[in-house]
Amino acid sequence: MCKLPNESLYWSEDVFGYPFIKSLMTRARYQQIKRVINVAMPTPEQNAADKLAKVRPFLDLVNAKCKQLYIPKENLGLDESQILCCSRSARCSHRGTKTKKPLKNYINVYAIHEAFTGYCCTFKIDERKANEKDSVKKVLVEMTSKLPPRPYKIAVDRHYNSVDNAKLLLNKNKYLYGTLRTDRGLPKDLAARAKTELKERGDWVWDMAPPSLFVTIWKDIIDTVFLSTFHTPTSSTVERRIRGQASAVVTCPQVAKDYNKHMGACDQCN
């Protein structure tokens, strides 16, 4: 009924304060209760089995609403997000880890977003289980199973992309594309061709393998490998900024242009 810009103002000694609220409890007591409030009251067994048991109903509700309120278009992006964690007792947080992440203390979230709007289609909290670390394949299967039964094109980085994962999603009528690590299915003959044929920026070589696996190596600042289950060896162009010079138009495979265009969905949502 009486909204103030800051909760602490309800206990203020000037005109903002409310004697009725002050008579109920102190500000410190209110903040202490709010800090430990839960949305569920699991049993000790449920709490031991699920690190997110106290907030699981809320997370399931949000995921259900994300799926219910909007059907995303075909281009999606799967990536990780880091949410700042200030709780000392967080069970899923990375505390003071020495990584290149911008946050020191955070909770890791896997999420699929629509490429153009950044809409969050579904998400999963990394529970950091001691004996069962979430594998990349497990995350992909669980995340994509929550999408509507439509053929989606999902952009991923090299952490999630591999020949095995691409084939797995292809059987589920989902198409995977993005950068690829050289030790995750890159043909040896294609790597040998790249050493001799990639001479100038914009050059690229490619190869195809069943079922509809398209692999290409593109010479940008460094040699970049892409894997896709729906692209073909179609050429396109991208604009590249060169330090100390004007922007230049560089030839590239179509998969590289689509990856640069659609991979930033998670960052757009952030």
Side-chain angles (χ1 to χ4, degrees), residues 103-232:
L103 299 177
K104 183 178 180 181
N105 301 323
Y106 63 91
I107 292 176
N108 206 37
V109 182
Y110 306 105
I112 295 180
H113 301 267
E114 189 185 55
F116 296 107
T117 62
Y119 182 85
C120 181
C121 307
T122 183
F123 65 91
K124 179 183 185 303
I125 308 297
D126 180 10
E127 299 183 30
R128 300 201 68 194
K129 294 183 179 179
N131 299 324
E132 183 185 350
K133 183 178 181 181
D134 288 341
S135 65
V136 173
K137 185 175 295 186
K138 181 180 177 181
V139 171
L140 279 174
V141 171
E142 183 175 348
M143 298 286 289
T144 54
S145 63
K146 298 177 182 179
L147 295 173
R150 299 175 58 183
Y152 284 105
K153 302 173 182 178
I154 307 173
V156 296
D157 59 23
R158 63 179 186 171
H159 179 67
Y160 302 95
N161 205 1
S162 69
V163 172
D164 292 340
N165 292 341
K167 290 180 179 179
L168 179 66
L169 292 192
L170 194 60
N171 295 331
K172 300 178 180 297
N173 201 25
K174 302 290 188 296
Y175 301 98
L176 200 68
Y177 71 100
T179 53
L180 178 71
R181 286 173 46 176
T182 56
D183 60 346
R184 288 189 175 179
L186 177 65
K188 294 182 179 180
D189 57 341
L190 184 63
R193 285 175 50 200
K195 293 181 180 179
T196 58
E197 298 182 25
L198 300 184
K199 299 179 180 179
E200 298 181 359
R201 189 175 188 180
D203 294 342
W204 55 285
V205 293
W206 61 275
D207 198 359
M208 294 285 295
S212 65
L213 294 177
F214 172 70
V215 183
T216 180
I217 303 178
W218 174 46
K219 188 175 184 60
D220 193 17
I221 298 177
I222 59 174
D223 293 349
T224 308
V225 186
F226 292 94
L227 170 66
S228 174
T229 54
F230 71 93
H231 282 91
T232 58

